[in-house]
Amino acid sequence: MPVGLTEMVVESVRVHMLSSQHVVILKETERDRYLPIWIGPWEANAIAMKLQGVTPERPLTHDLFLRTLDELGAIVQRIVISELAEETYRARLILELDGKVREIDARASDSIALAVRTSAPIYATDAVLDRAGVVPEPDEEEKLSVFREFVNSLHGDPTAGSEGGMADEPGPSSGREERRLD
């Protein structure tokens, strides 16, 4: 594992019932620390569909981009949630092309959507986890119950309540960015 990085997995994609905001929750592979990242509905849908094994009738934007990378001979090595600036997560897409490693600036949600499609590892920098990671403390039941209450207030299926997915929601270019969960 690269120095200064912690491996993460997608624990879940949820919808906050009161605000209808979408959040992807990453979990460290080695311990009980979570990184919640608010994301747009289209990205949440793209991640959740892949995790649930649902294949869309037509390719989603992330599928098209992945096909393009494949045609060019590029391989997604890993993604890194690299920084948190002004309440917005930033990520790096690490690609290998013609024997050279290239880093591409990307939104965290788009990077995660690509990672779940390629089984590429997901990492977060220690600085991001130190600033925004959530650790349930078993000794303090009150704090744990607040975390449980928050998680339970989120709905696990971003497509719930919508027959044909999220057609009425704004598209990927809606300007919504990933935001830190407070």
Side-chain angles (χ1 to χ4, degrees):
M1 179 177 336
V3 176
L5 299 179
T6 301
E7 190 167 3
M8 311 292 288
V9 294
V10 177
E11 192 271 333
S12 62
V13 178
R14 297 174 178 260
V15 178
H16 189 270
M17 294 301 287
L18 298 176
S19 68
S20 295
Q21 295 290 313
H22 298 76
V23 63
V24 60
I25 300 175
L26 302 179
K27 181 186 179 299
E28 282 189 35
T29 58
E30 300 295 319
R31 64 183 264 208
D32 252 357
R33 182 162 57 165
Y34 300 86
L35 184 63
I37 302 173
W38 293 106
I39 61 176
W42 289 94
E43 294 81 4
N45 192 35
I47 294 167
M49 285 178 68
K50 185 62 181 177
L51 291 175
Q52 295 171 355
V54 175
T55 303
E57 196 173 301
R58 300 285 301 146
L60 298 175
T61 304
H62 301 98
D63 300 315
L64 176 62
F65 184 62
L66 197 55
R67 286 184 189 169
T68 303
L69 289 175
D70 188 47
E71 285 294 319
L72 295 172
I75 298 168
V76 178
Q77 280 191 340
R78 67 184 175 275
I79 68 120
V80 177
I81 310 301
S82 55
E83 67 182 281
L84 177 58
E86 298 177 20
E87 304 302 313
T88 300
Y89 287 94
R90 301 186 190 278
R92 305 293 293 166
L93 184 59
I94 314 302
L95 303 175
E96 183 180 330
L97 178 62
D98 297 329
K100 295 180 184 173
V101 175
R102 301 171 193 265
E103 289 191 27
I104 310 294
D105 182 42
R107 296 187 320 167
S109 58
D110 291 329
S111 297
I112 294 166
L114 289 172
V116 298
R117 282 165 171 69
T118 62
S119 299
I122 300 169
Y123 294 95
T125 63
D126 293 342
V128 166
L129 287 169
D130 290 344
R131 182 169 171 200
V134 177
V135 180
E137 298 177 24
D139 296 339
E140 297 176 294
E141 185 59 35
E142 183 178 330
K143 286 184 181 179
L144 185 57
S145 68
V146 169
F147 183 73
R148 269 194 213 113
E149 198 172 295
F150 166 74
V151 170
N152 290 334
S153 74
L154 302 174
H155 189 277
D157 182 3
T159 62
S162 172
E163 285 289 348
M166 304 240 172
D168 296 332
E169 295 289 338
S173 62
S174 65
R176 294 180 80 174
E177 294 292 324
E178 296 82 26
R179 289 192 184 23
R180 182 175 153 220
L181 172 66
D182 285 325

